[in-house]
Amino acid sequence: MNSLGLLLFKLAAEINLSNRKVPKSIVIGSGIAGIAAAIRLKAKGHEVDVYETNAYPGGKLSEFTQQGFRFDAGPSLFTMPSYVDELFALCNENAGEHFNYDRLSVVCHYFYNDGASFKADSDIDQLAVTLENTMGEERGTVSKYFKKSALIYRITTPVFLENSLHKISTYFNRKGLYGILNLWRLNLFTTMHDSNKQHFRNPKTQQFFDRFATYNGSNPYKAPATLNVIPHLEFGIGAYFPKKGMFSITSSLVELAERHGVKFHYNSRVERIVTEKGKVKGVLVNNDTVTADNVICNADVTPVYRHLLPQLKMPLKVKKAEPSSSALIFYWGIKQQFKDLELHNIFFSDNYKAEFDTIFTKQTIGDDITVYVNISSKYKMDDAPEGCENWFVMVNAPANTGQDWDVLITKTRQHIITKLSRLLKVDIAALIVSESILDPRSIEQRTSSNKGALYGNSSNKRMSAFLRHANFKSSVKGLYFCGGSVHPGGGIPLSLLSAKITAGLIP
Ligand code: FAD
């Protein structure tokens, strides 16, 4: 092409570009998936506005301070950091300049009621040695278990977690066919616990591996053994801690989004999603109708149908879904440091089966409970004043169905104090210098999550993965969904994947 031709070509391209309308997208909610979806759409060239009810971003992934102690309010365990890094890469930025994390060498310290304990080393070979020495398991059995866990990961991730389950194209390619042909290897017809019981002789080891069901708010005595993939995420790929605390996942991504032009509107609850003739028109927010080509709901899908989309019928599978477990959390400022405790610590109950029955069937909190203590000041020392620690003390709880939470809180607080005081050989009550409490009611109220569930729906049914809401609404063009309550599920990694799937579906 000669120089005149080139000039004419460039001119024509510019005219074409300037005529092309920039697509406008609205994201409802600034949970981690909402922020990630906003970044992805901005990178695609959309104009993006995020509307958030709260005065702060992050939803469940937020932080607060109390009397000199800083707390991450929700998630404390960070896996799959590459899903955060890739958002920086997408915007041509170097993640390391804004967001850093370390791999944990000890993932968690486990304590049993009879005084037994072990530290779970992140190295699988070392963990196998520990389980051999403390629980009498054969090393080879532990290694074999982790190989199976890694296999489930390889089969499920490319097909079932990184793609929409509701698009036929997901199944008609090499990876899709590999997933379908290998479905039989996913142990869908065995429960997590039964599979763990087949592998390990010591009930304490079984309890350790059963515990991973709680990572998506499920019951190991009901959830399919496919979820035994989770140990691979924690040990095979790794457990991490962001150098500036969990909330820095939210804050660094919000800053990234803002640097690239995403607009965040806080204190802005979306009241309605406006649709017309099978197409999204925009949202009603701050007494105004804001138009958009696409609306992406990051808010929990159940209240979205109930309040924002009264013009649509709530799908039966949303209406009937069993919510995941919720939690009761005590944020304690502790005026002592505990050398024996790690960042993550678990104090198991005696009867794990009864504990899950109490949560999911009786829908209450029992007396024999598993207590999780997270202490971020072990890594981020300025999270607590000198000589002190910030204890995030959590027990699993049922979703909110109107239980008498005040009574349950008083009773459970006493059980936790008695248990920890006995196992740590010190009067814990005397060490608490500040306290605040989060329960299923307040989780529901602060994050609009259905009944205060932490992870959307439970995975207690064999087909739960297929019962989650899709990332799009086929009857309404331009309406999409992301976040822990839709496909592929709850937790930070899956919420980030939901944003990736959703953004990938938007033209
Ligand atoms: P959410 O965090 O649910 O946020 C949704 C946002 O939408 C909220 O900010 C809400 O205010 C906003 N919103 C709702 N309705 C509207 C509206 N009408 N208009 C405007 N805004 C609206 N995950 C892990 O990976 N590791 C852990 O260790 C872990 N521990 C957890 C512990 C606790 C106590 C909790 C609560 C959760 C934990 N999780 C953990 C789960 C994890 O936090 C969630 O799965 C994930 O953060 C969900 O993100 P999301 O994008 O779905 O949005």
Side-chain angles (χ1 to χ4, degrees), residues 27-35 50-54 56-62 72-79 214-215 246 265 268-272 285 297-300 303-304 307-308 326-329 331 344 372 392 394 438 443 445-449 452-456 482-486 489-496 498:
V27 180
I28 305 176
S30 68
I32 197 68
I35 303 167
V50 181
Y51 290 92
E52 167 58 53
T53 305
N54 293 327
Y56 55 86
K60 298 182 180 81
L61 192 41
S62 61
D72 288 307
S76 52
L77 178 73
F78 183 37
T79 51
T214 63
Y215 283 31
M246 292 297 286
H265 308 263
S268 300
R269 175 184 285 277
V270 170
E271 305 293 343
R272 275 293 145 81
V285 61
C297 283
N298 171 223
D300 190 305
V304 163
H307 306 298
L308 309 192
S326 185
L328 172 58
I329 301 141
Y331 305 89
H344 302 288
Y372 167 63
F392 167 109
M394 178 170 123
L438 191 69
I443 294 173
Q445 183 232 325
R446 286 183 205 170
T447 68
S448 307
S449 97
L454 304 192
Y455 301 94
C482 67
S485 67
V486 298
I492 299 168
L494 296 194
S495 298
L496 289 172
S498 79

Side-chain angles (χ1 to χ4, degrees), residues 196-452:
N196 292 334
K197 203 170 155 191
Q198 280 162 20
H199 275 90
F200 302 108
R201 57 168 80 126
N202 190 332
K204 287 194 173 85
T205 324
Q206 295 161 18
Q207 190 171 20
F208 162 60
F209 283 104
D210 284 353
R211 186 205 157 212
F212 292 99
T214 63
Y215 283 31
N216 70 3
S218 302
N219 177 350
Y221 298 86
K222 295 220 165 130
T226 316
L227 289 185
N228 287 335
V229 64
I230 300 174
H232 172 69
L233 300 185
E234 186 162 301
F235 294 92
I237 300 179
Y240 298 80
F241 187 72
K243 283 185 193 292
K244 294 184 182 166
M246 292 297 286
F247 181 65
S248 67
I249 304 173
T250 295
S251 56
S252 65
L253 289 182
V254 168
E255 285 161 18
L256 172 70
E258 284 180 334
R259 276 199 297 282
H260 290 266
V262 173
K263 292 192 200 100
F264 286 84
H265 308 263
Y266 298 109
N267 299 307
S268 300
R269 175 184 285 277
V270 170
E271 305 293 343
R272 275 293 145 81
I273 296 169
V274 185
T275 59
E276 200 181 282
K277 294 184 188 148
K279 197 175 174 325
V280 90
K281 285 303 233 183
V283 300
L284 182 63
V285 61
N286 300 330
N287 296 321
D288 202 5
T289 302
V290 185
T291 56
D293 303 299
N294 308 295
V295 170
I296 298 95
C297 283
N298 171 223
D300 190 305
V301 70
T302 308
V304 163
Y305 274 101
R306 200 169 289 141
H307 306 298
L308 309 192
L309 284 169
Q311 67 274 40
L312 300 185
K313 209 167 153 201
M314 188 185 293
L316 212 56
K317 66 177 179 185
V318 174
K319 206 188 259 176
K320 285 191 154 181
E322 178 192 41
S324 79
S325 56
S326 185
L328 172 58
I329 301 141
F330 298 89
Y331 305 89
W332 286 339
I334 295 282
K335 61 172 181 185
Q336 188 176 309
Q337 288 182 328
F338 286 75
K339 284 204 175 62
D340 205 27
L341 295 181
E342 295 287 330
L343 172 68
H344 302 288
N345 308 274
I346 284 282
F347 298 81
F348 275 124
S349 61
D350 271 329
N351 189 338
Y352 218 28
K353 182 163 191 321
E355 186 180 356
F356 283 99
D357 278 347
T358 309
I359 294 168
F360 285 98
T361 312
K362 298 185 188 142
Q363 308 222 324
T364 184
I365 303 175
D367 299 345
D368 176 26
I369 42 178
T370 298
V371 181
Y372 167 63
V373 180
N374 173 258
I375 311 170
S376 69
S377 62
K378 291 279 182 200
Y379 271 77
K380 191 173 169 299
M381 261 106 104
D382 60 356
D383 277 357
E386 215 178 319
C388 300
E389 287 180 342
N390 64 339
W391 283 23
F392 167 109
V393 182
M394 178 170 123
V395 297
N396 294 314
N400 178 26
T401 50
Q403 295 89 333
D404 191 340
W405 288 110
D406 295 334
V407 169
L408 281 175
I409 288 169
T410 310
K411 182 189 85 155
T412 307
R413 185 180 188 278
Q414 194 47 53
H415 284 310
I416 293 173
I417 287 175
T418 307
K419 183 179 176 105
L420 295 184
S421 300
R422 182 173 59 79
L423 289 166
L424 296 174
K425 301 184 178 63
V426 58
D427 178 11
I428 295 294
L431 301 177
I432 301 171
V433 290
S434 76
E435 176 178 67
S436 52
I437 299 169
L438 191 69
D439 63 54
R441 288 170 306 189
S442 36
I443 294 173
E444 182 169 11
Q445 183 232 325
R446 286 183 205 170
T447 68
S448 307
S449 97
N450 182 33
K451 299 181 178 163

Side-chain angles (χ1 to χ4, degrees), residues 124 128 131-132 136-149 195-202 205 209:
I124 291 173
L131 292 178
E132 187 172 70
E137 303 296 347
E138 281 179 22
R139 280 183 221 185
T141 311
V142 177
S143 309
K144 208 168 134 200
Y145 183 88
F146 275 100
K147 282 198 181 113
K148 174 76 194 213
S149 182
S195 169
N196 292 334
K197 203 170 155 191
Q198 280 162 20
H199 275 90
F200 302 108
R201 57 168 80 126
N202 190 332
T205 324
F209 283 104

